[in-house]
Amino acid sequence: EESLQMWDLNKRLEAYLARVKFLEEENEVLRAEIQSTKSSPAGDSWRVKYEEELRALRDALDHAFREKCTAELARDNLYEEVQQVKSRCQKEQAAREEAKKQLSLSRKELEEERRAQIWLKERAVQLEKEVEALLEVHEEEKAGLDQEIASFSHSLESFRCAPVAFQPVEVEDYSKRLSEIWKGAVETYKTEVSQLEGSLCQAKENLWKAVEDNQQSQLQLQHLEKDLVGLKARKEMLEESLAQQWQEQRGEAEKFQLAMEALEQEQQSLRVQIARVLEDRQQLMHLKMSLSLEVATYRTLLEAESTRLQMPAG
């Protein structure tokens, strides 16, 4: 039984020794690999490459942040410019409304001047008719006076002594009065006609001024409409460029975010790999210690067994 136990122990010892030898060799290989990885320039180059990529990404992130700041400044400038364009459009709209009001007032004045001109024409025609009527009445009165004078002259020739009430001096006075009345009527007619002509000329001048003001207002309105169209087109272009810049900036920010997430994932995976390597190394150390303890235990057992077997023989 003791020989069988010893044989079994020897087999187990050989297996453990073979396992220990294999694990020591594997541990040496792993240690050499770790040392080579630590001391080799490839690991340094990998670390340097990783640091360079990280530095490049940080520079790119700083550059993107600066571009974002410049884009924000450009956006603020564009917003201020859009506000200025809006205020200018409002001012031009107010000027346009004022021009429309002035145009409507000038049209009203033009209509009033036309009405006044028509009334003056009608009044002039009426006065001409009245003058013609007065001339006809004057001619009739003059003819009647001539007939009366002729009849008085015949009566004076037939009678030697004419009555006092029918003297030629009174007839002449009456004709002088009539002529003076006629002259006064003609003068008043001339003054009224001259006044009407002056008012007609003034109405024509006001009409021409109103027409010129209307034309100038229309030209100013056309210029304002052209400026408004140009400002609207510029506003649309600025809004399109601002939207395009925002889209480009958003796309670049998303790209940088994806790159940072990929680098963080890669960094996390590297940390996990390093942790696994350290854990494997720790496990190998523990296994080596356990195996060394087991080998030492078996050696003591073998030494005790060998001493126990040698003592009876001695």
Side-chain angles (χ1 to χ4, degrees):
E1 290 177 357
E2 288 178 358
S3 63
L4 289 173
Q5 287 178 1
M6 288 298 296
W7 184 74
D8 190 9
L9 287 172
N10 288 325
K11 291 293 184 182
R12 288 175 67 186
L13 183 59
E14 287 178 359
Y16 278 115
L17 289 172
R19 187 178 177 186
V20 167
K21 187 176 181 181
F22 175 72
L23 290 173
E24 284 180 353
E25 290 176 355
E26 190 174 358
N27 194 7
E28 290 294 333
V29 171
L30 289 172
R31 187 179 295 170
E33 287 180 358
I34 290 169
Q35 291 294 330
S36 63
T37 304
K38 286 183 179 179
S39 62
S40 64
D44 295 334
S45 64
W46 178 79
R47 184 177 295 174
V48 169
K49 185 178 179 181
Y50 175 72
E51 289 178 354
E52 287 179 355
E53 288 180 357
L54 188 61
R55 192 180 298 109
L57 287 172
R58 285 177 181 173
D59 294 334
L61 186 63
D62 293 334
H63 183 66
F65 183 73
R66 287 194 292 272
E67 286 183 352
K68 182 181 178 182
C69 292
T70 53
E72 287 178 354
L73 290 173
R75 181 193 63 188
D76 294 334
N77 292 325
L78 288 173
Y79 181 74
E80 290 178 357
E81 192 171 356
V82 167
Q83 291 296 325
Q84 290 178 1
V85 169
K86 284 182 179 179
S87 64
R88 188 175 177 185
C89 288
Q90 290 176 359
K91 289 180 181 179
E92 289 182 355
Q93 188 71 23
R96 185 177 179 183
E97 294 293 332
E98 187 67 25
K100 285 182 179 179
K101 289 180 182 179
Q102 290 180 1
L103 183 62
S104 63
L105 290 173
S106 61
R107 284 177 180 174
K108 288 180 181 179
E109 290 178 357
L110 182 63
E111 292 293 331
E112 290 178 356
E113 291 293 334
R114 286 178 180 174
R115 290 175 184 174
Q117 187 178 5
I118 292 168
W119 181 80
L120 289 172
K121 286 180 180 179
E122 291 177 355
R123 182 66 178 166
V125 172
Q126 188 177 0
L127 288 172
E128 286 178 357
K129 289 180 180 178
E130 289 179 358
V131 169
E132 289 177 357
L134 288 172
L135 288 172
E136 289 177 358
V137 171
H138 179 67
E139 291 293 334
E140 289 177 357
E141 290 178 354
K142 188 177 180 182
L145 289 172
D146 290 333
Q147 289 177 2
E148 288 179 0
I149 290 167
S151 62
F152 280 129
S153 63
H154 286 298
S155 63
L156 287 172
E157 288 177 358
S158 60
F159 296 99
R160 291 181 179 177
C161 295
V164 180
F166 297 98
Q167 289 181 2
V169 178
E170 292 181 356
V171 174
E172 290 177 358
D173 293 333
Y174 182 68
S175 65
K176 285 180 181 180
R177 271 192 212 168
L178 286 175
S179 63
E180 288 177 357
I181 291 167
W182 169 247
K183 287 180 181 179
V186 170
E187 290 294 330
T188 54
Y189 172 72
K190 286 181 179 180
T191 53
E192 288 180 357
V193 169
S194 63
Q195 288 178 0
L196 288 173
E197 287 179 354
S199 62
L200 184 62
C201 293
Q202 187 69 28
K204 286 182 180 180
E205 290 179 358
N206 293 326
L207 181 63
W208 281 110
K209 286 181 181 179
V211 170
E212 288 178 357
D213 292 335
N214 190 7
Q215 290 178 357
Q216 290 179 359
S217 299
Q218 287 181 357
L219 291 173
Q220 189 176 3
L221 185 62
Q222 290 177 0
H223 287 301
L224 289 173
E225 287 178 352
K226 289 180 181 179
D227 294 335
L228 183 62
V229 170
L231 290 172
K232 285 182 179 178
R234 189 177 178 185
K235 181 182 176 183
E236 291 177 356
M237 289 175 64
L238 289 173
E239 288 178 352
E240 289 178 357
S241 64
L242 183 62
Q244 188 176 2
Q245 286 181 1
W246 269 106
Q247 290 179 358
E248 291 177 355
Q249 186 178 1
R250 188 178 295 173
E252 289 179 357
E254 289 177 356
K255 287 180 181 178
F256 283 118
Q257 188 68 29
L258 291 173
M260 289 296 294
E261 289 178 357
L263 285 173
E264 287 179 357
Q265 289 178 0
E266 187 176 358
Q267 187 177 4
Q268 191 68 27
S269 64
L270 288 172
R271 286 178 181 176
V272 171
Q273 289 178 3
I274 291 168
R276 285 179 182 176
V277 169
L278 292 173
E279 188 177 357
D280 292 337
R281 185 177 179 185
Q282 192 72 22
Q283 289 178 0
L284 288 172
M285 292 295 291
H286 286 296
L287 185 59
K288 182 181 178 182
M289 289 175 67
S290 63
L291 288 174
S292 62
L293 288 172
E294 192 173 357
V295 168
T297 304
Y298 277 113
R299 281 178 183 174
T300 53
L301 288 172
L302 288 173
E303 287 177 357
E305 188 66 25
S306 64
T307 53
R308 189 177 64 82
L309 291 174
Q310 288 176 2
M311 284 175 68

